[in-house]
C-alpha cells in the first residue's frame, strides 16, 4: 500500500521530493508537468521483492500504467520484468532493454504481427503469451509454425470472481471479455497435441484493478490453484508457472488499501506449498498501480478564480486530456497547493477556505478534477497545485484533445531532477496530418 504524500513532502514550506522543490521544477519546465519520485517506484518494488523472496518469482511491471522509457529502464535495472499488451508496448520494452525472459504479453486482441514481434523478440522470443481465447491460440499456433517456433503460452483463466472495484476496471467476471472458463481451459489442454506451435507453460488470471480487499483475490487464487493441480493429471509435464495478474489497490484518499505484505502472504497461502515441492515452479505478478500510482503527481498552475454564489471554480492549466481518471471513472485525486501556507481543511477558520471545484480549460463539464473541496480562498492566478496519485494511468492515458500538447515528464532521483519527456509542441500536434 502506498499513500498520496508518501514520496512528496513539504520542505521549507514548499512541496518537494527527495529535497527537490516542485516549485523550482515548475518554474524551469513549465506547467502542467508530471513529476515522479524514483523511490516512489523502487520502494514498493523492493517491498514486493522482499515479500516474495522465498518463492521462485518474477515481478512484471504492467507498463500500461506508466510507460515512460526512463521509468522502464529504472525498474528493469532493479530486476523487474514487464507485462505488456501491444506491439507498441513491446517496442518500448525493447527500447528500455528489458530481457526477453522477463516479458509477458497479455490482452484479448493480439494481432498476427504482434505475435510475430513477440516470438522474434531478441531472437529467443518473450517468456509467455497470456492467451485469452481459442481463436487467439489457433492464430498464435499458425504464426509460430510459420516461423519454425513453438510459442510459450499461459491460458488466461477467468475465475468468475467479483473484484468489487469500478465496473470499467473489473475483469474477472464471466460477463467480461477476458479469459476463458475452467471447462474451456480443460478442453484446450485436451486438444494441445493438435497445436504443434504451442507450448503450454502456465495459467494466468487478472480479476481487476484498484482492489481494496484481498478477499476476491483469495477466492481467485484458490480457483487458480485448484486448476493448476487439476492440469497435473492432464499433462505429461507439470506447468512451469502461474501468473497472478496485477491489481492491488493504493490509497487515493483515505481508503484502507491492502498491505503488500498481506498480499504476499496470501500468495504463499495458496502457492507456497507447490513452490516448495517444485522449486522450478514460478510465480508471476503484474503490478502496475502498486508501483507507479503514488510515485507521481501532476503539477498545474491556476489560471483564474471564478467566483460563484455557492462555490468558486479554480480554472487550472491541466485538463482532462492530461489526466482523464476523474472524468472517466469519477475517481478521487487529492489536490494540494504547492505552498504549505495555503493548505486548509474543513476545520480551518471559516473565512480561510471556500467550497471549490477545480477544473481544466477543456470544453466539457466532465473536465473537473475535484468538486466541492475545501480549498484556500487565498489561492489565485499563478499559484501552483499538485494533483496527487497521478503516477499510474496518468500520462499513459493522456491525449491531445482540444489540441493541447501533452505535458512534460520529470523524474526526481537521488536529490536531482531530469526531464524524461519533453513537453509536446504545436508542431508535434500536426505531424503526420
Ligand atoms: N495485468 C493485466 C492483465 C491488466 O489488465 C492490468 C490492468 C494489470 C495487470 C495492472 O493492474 P494494476 O496493478 O495497475 O491494478 N485505467 C484504469 C486501470 C485499468 C487497468 C487495466 N488493466 C485506471 O486508471 O484506474
Amino acid at each position: 500500500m502506498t499513500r498520496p504524500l508518501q514520496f512528496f513532502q513539504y520542505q521549507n514550506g514548499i512541496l518537494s521530493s527527495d529535497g527537490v522543490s516542485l516549485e523550482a521544477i515548475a518554474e524551469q519546465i513549465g506547467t502542467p508537468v508530471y513529476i515522479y519520485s524514483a523511490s516512489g517506484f523502487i520502494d514498493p518494488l523492493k517491498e514486493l521483492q522482499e515479500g516474495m523472496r522465498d518463492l521462485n518469482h518474477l515481478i512484471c511491471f504492467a507498463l500500461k500504467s506508466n510507460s515512460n522509457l526512463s521509468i522502464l529502464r529504472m525498474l528493469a535495472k532493479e530486476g523487474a520484468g514487464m507485462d505488456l499488451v501491444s506491439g507498441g508496448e513491446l517496442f518500448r520494452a525493447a527500447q528500455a532493454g528489458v530481457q526477453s525472459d522477463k516479458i509477458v504479453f497479455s490482452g484479448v486482441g493480439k494481432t498476427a504481427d504482434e505475435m510475430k514481434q513477440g516470438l522474434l523478440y531478441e531472437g529467443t522470443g518473450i517468456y509467455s503469451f497470456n492467451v485469452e481465447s481459442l481463436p487467439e491460440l489457433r492464430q498464435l499456433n499458425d504464426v509460430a509454425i510459420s516461423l519454425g517456433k513453438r510459442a510459450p503460452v499461459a491460458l488466461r483463466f477467468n475465475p468468475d470472481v467479483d473484484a468489487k472495484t469500478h465496473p470499467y476496471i473489473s475483469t474477472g467476471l464471466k460477463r467480461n471479455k477476458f479469459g476463458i472458463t475452467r471447462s474451456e481451459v480443460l478442453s484446450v489442454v485436451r486438444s494441445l497435441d493438435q497445436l504443434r506451435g504451442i507450448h503450454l507453460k502456465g495459467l494466468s488470471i487478472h480479476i481487476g484493478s484498484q482492489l481494496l480487499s484481498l478477499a476476491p483475490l483469495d477466492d481467485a487464487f484458490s480457483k487458480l490453484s485448484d486448476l493448476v493441480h487439476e492440469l497435473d493429471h492432464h499433462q505429461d509435464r507439470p506447468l512451469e508457472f502461474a501468473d497472478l495478474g496485477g491489481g492491488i489497490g493504493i490509497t487515493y484518499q483515505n481508503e484502507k488499501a491492502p498491505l503488500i505484505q498481506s498480499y504476499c502472504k496470501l500468495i504463499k497461502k495458496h502457492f507456497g506449498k507447490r513452490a516448495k515441492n517444485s522449486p522450478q515452479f514460478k510465480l508471476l505478478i503484474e503490478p502496475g498501480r502498486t508501483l507507479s500510482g503514488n510515485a507521481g503527481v501532476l503539477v498545474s498552475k491556476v489560471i483564474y478564480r471564478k467566483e460563484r454564489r455557492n462555490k468558486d471554480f479554480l480554472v487550472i492549466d491541466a485538463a482532462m486530456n492530461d489526466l482523464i481518471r476523474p472524468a472517466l471513472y469519477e475517481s478521487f485525486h487529492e489536490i494540494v497547493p504547492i505552498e504549505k501556507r495555503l493548505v486548509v481543511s474543513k476545520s480551518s477558520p471559516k473565512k480561510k477556505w471556500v467550497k471549490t471545484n477545480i477544473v481544466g480549460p477543456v470544453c466539457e463539464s466532465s473536465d473537473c478534477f475535484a468538486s466541492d473541496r475545501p480549498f484556500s480562498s487565498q489561492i489565485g492566478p499563478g499559484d501552483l497545485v499538485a494533483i496527487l496519485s497521478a503516477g499510474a494511468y496518468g500520462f499513459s492515458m493522456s491525449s491531445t484533445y482540444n489540441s493541447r500538447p501533452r505535458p512534460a515528464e520529470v523524474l526526481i532521483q537521488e536529490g536531482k531532477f531530469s526531464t524524461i519527456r519533453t513537453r509536446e509542441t504545436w508542431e508535434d500536434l500536426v505531424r503526420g496530418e
Side-chain angles (χ1 to χ4, degrees):
M1 178 195 76
T2 55
R3 287 169 282 103
L5 280 177
Q6 188 169 340
F7 305 102
F8 298 86
Q9 306 84 21
Y10 287 100
Q11 207 177 335
N12 304 323
I14 302 293
L15 194 63
S16 307
S17 181
D18 205 2
V20 181
S21 139
L22 304 197
E23 186 179 53
I25 296 177
E27 253 164 40
Q28 208 172 312
I29 309 294
T31 54
V33 56
Y34 275 96
I35 302 178
Y36 307 112
S37 142
S39 342
F41 293 90
I42 303 295
D43 288 6
L45 174 64
K46 292 227 156 110
E47 205 179 335
L48 274 172
Q49 287 168 335
E50 176 61 27
M52 302 282 283
R53 206 178 41 171
D54 315 333
L55 304 167
N56 182 5
H57 72 271
L58 176 62
I59 300 173
C60 292
F61 175 58
L63 73 89
K64 64 168 83 70
S65 75
N66 188 317
S67 48
N68 184 289
L69 287 183
S70 300
I71 304 290
L72 303 186
R73 278 193 202 108
M74 174 177 79
L75 289 171
K77 215 170 115 208
E78 294 294 328
M82 302 290 152
D83 161 54
L84 44 86
V85 291
S86 70
E89 287 193 348
L90 188 54
F91 173 75
R92 282 184 176 275
Q95 294 281 307
V98 182
Q99 277 169 243
S100 57
D101 58 353
K102 290 187 168 181
I103 293 178
V104 293
F105 198 149
S106 307
V108 293
K110 300 172 202 82
T111 63
D113 280 344
E114 287 173 326
M115 291 169 175
K116 191 169 165 193
Q117 190 189 354
L119 285 164
L120 297 178
Y121 187 90
E122 280 187 342
T124 50
I126 60 170
Y127 183 73
S128 173
F129 291 88
N130 292 353
V131 169
E132 308 228 11
S133 68
L134 199 50
E136 185 195 338
L137 192 68
R138 290 202 194 101
Q139 172 76 275
L140 182 58
N141 180 58
D142 294 349
V143 176
I145 291 173
S146 75
L147 295 173
K149 289 186 170 262
R150 281 185 90 195
V153 161
L155 296 173
R156 177 159 172 187
F157 164 50
N158 181 328
D160 197 22
V161 164
D162 185 355
K164 301 223 159 49
T165 181
H166 191 286
Y168 288 7
I169 53 176
S170 182
T171 51
L173 281 169
K174 238 188 221 154
R175 64 164 180 266
N176 299 128
K177 66 179 174 185
F178 300 97
I180 56 179
T181 62
R182 180 181 159 279
S183 62
E184 285 171 313
V185 169
L186 293 171
S187 99
V188 167
V189 169
R190 279 193 292 269
S191 64
L192 275 179
D193 24 342
Q194 288 147 42
L195 298 167
R196 291 182 291 121
I198 298 296
H199 172 198
L200 181 66
K201 284 176 48 170
L203 286 179
S204 76
I205 53 164
H206 172 72
I207 62 168
S209 195
Q210 182 56 8
L211 307 186
L212 287 174
S213 157
L214 289 178
L217 280 179
D218 196 8
D219 199 2
F221 289 174
S222 154
K223 290 183 174 173
L224 177 67
S225 155
D226 287 352
L227 192 53
V228 170
H229 282 295
E230 198 166 343
L231 290 199
D232 285 343
H233 306 296
H234 287 76
Q235 292 215 105
D236 321 334
R237 280 181 300 186
L239 290 181
E240 286 174 35
F241 74 92
D243 180 341
L244 309 178
I248 72 165
I250 59 164
T251 300
Y252 282 92
Q253 188 173 10
N254 42 29
E255 320 86 307
K256 256 189 116 186
L259 297 175
I260 289 179
Q261 292 308 318
S262 319
Y263 169 67
C264 295
K265 262 196 202 140
L266 186 70
I267 294 176
K268 282 185 197 155
K269 173 179 146 191
H270 291 284
F271 299 96
K273 202 163 142 211
R274 186 176 188 95
K276 210 173 198 174
N277 295 340
S278 31
Q280 303 302 329
F281 187 72
K282 213 181 224 178
L283 286 158
L284 269 63
I285 53 173
E286 305 169 349
R289 192 186 320 258
T290 309
L291 303 186
S292 52
N294 279 318
V297 301
L298 174 60
V299 172
S300 175
K301 191 179 271 176
V302 175
I303 310 176
Y304 298 115
R305 171 180 292 276
K306 186 168 172 182
E307 290 176 12
R308 280 287 179 270
R309 197 136 53 97
N310 299 335
K311 64 170 93 168
D312 284 3
F313 287 87
L314 274 184
V315 185
I316 62 176
D317 67 0
M320 65 191 285
N321 70 294
D322 304 307
L323 174 68
I324 202 173
R325 301 193 72 257
L328 190 59
Y329 315 111
E330 295 181 346
S331 46
F332 181 98
H333 285 260
E334 191 66 70
I335 304 180
V336 297
I338 294 288
E339 287 184 74
K340 190 169 185 201
R341 67 177 179 92
L342 296 171
V343 174
V344 295
S345 70
K346 273 189 176 149
S347 49
S348 308
K350 202 70 194 144
K351 61 176 193 311
K352 286 205 135 178
W353 63 270
V354 54
K355 230 173 22 174
T356 306
N357 278 16
I358 298 161
V359 302
V362 162
C363 307
E364 301 217 19
S365 294
S366 61
D367 185 21
C368 177
F369 291 112
S371 301
D372 295 336
R373 297 269 174 97
F375 227 63
S376 166
S377 43
Q378 303 296 305
I379 295 183
D383 286 326
L384 295 168
V385 297
I387 305 176
L388 307 182
S389 314
Y393 309 106
F395 188 92
S396 68
M397 290 182 83
S398 66
S399 74
T400 57
Y401 186 41
N402 274 210
S403 286
R404 292 169 46 86
R406 284 180 294 177
E409 291 178 288
V410 164
L411 178 65
I412 299 176
Q413 194 165 21
E414 290 166 7
K416 291 200 215 63
F417 80 87
S418 53
T419 301
I420 56 171
R421 192 181 211 272
T422 53
R423 184 179 306 287
E424 277 181 352
T425 62
W426 290 341
E427 285 70 31
D428 291 330
L429 291 181
V430 295
R431 183 161 299 125
E433 288 182 15

